[in-house]
Amino acid sequence: MCLSTVYRNQKTEDAVVMRNVMSIECKDGCVILTDLMERTVAIEGALVSANLVDGYVIVKEN
């Protein structure tokens, strides 16, 4: 299973939005994250990069 940590704007520990993200959906200018417990977080912005081997995603917030 490939889970990721999502960061806001840059990959730093204080920019963590959500850990153990299993699903990412981009819809209507929002990035919608869902974790293993099926909790969701919506960030108004865009996906910048995703490194699934290292397990991280960066989202640029508007």
Side-chain angles (χ1 to χ4, degrees):
M1 187 181 313
C2 213
L3 300 173
S4 295
T5 300
V6 176
Y7 298 89
R8 180 178 285 121
N9 299 321
Q10 60 185 339
K11 188 182 175 217
T12 61
E13 198 56 38
D14 60 328
V16 172
V17 176
M18 181 178 266
R19 298 184 191 277
N20 298 315
V21 173
M22 65 175 189
S23 171
I24 300 171
E25 181 181 355
C26 297
K27 185 176 180 181
D28 299 327
C30 286
V31 179
I32 303 165
L33 313 170
T34 305
D35 72 3
L36 273 177
M37 302 301 289
E38 300 208 9
R39 294 175 290 213
T40 61
V41 171
I43 300 173
E44 192 172 317
L47 185 66
V48 173
S49 66
N51 185 323
L52 301 181
V53 172
D54 292 334
Y56 71 88
V57 175
I58 299 174
V59 174
K60 182 178 179 187
E61 187 175 40
N62 287 347

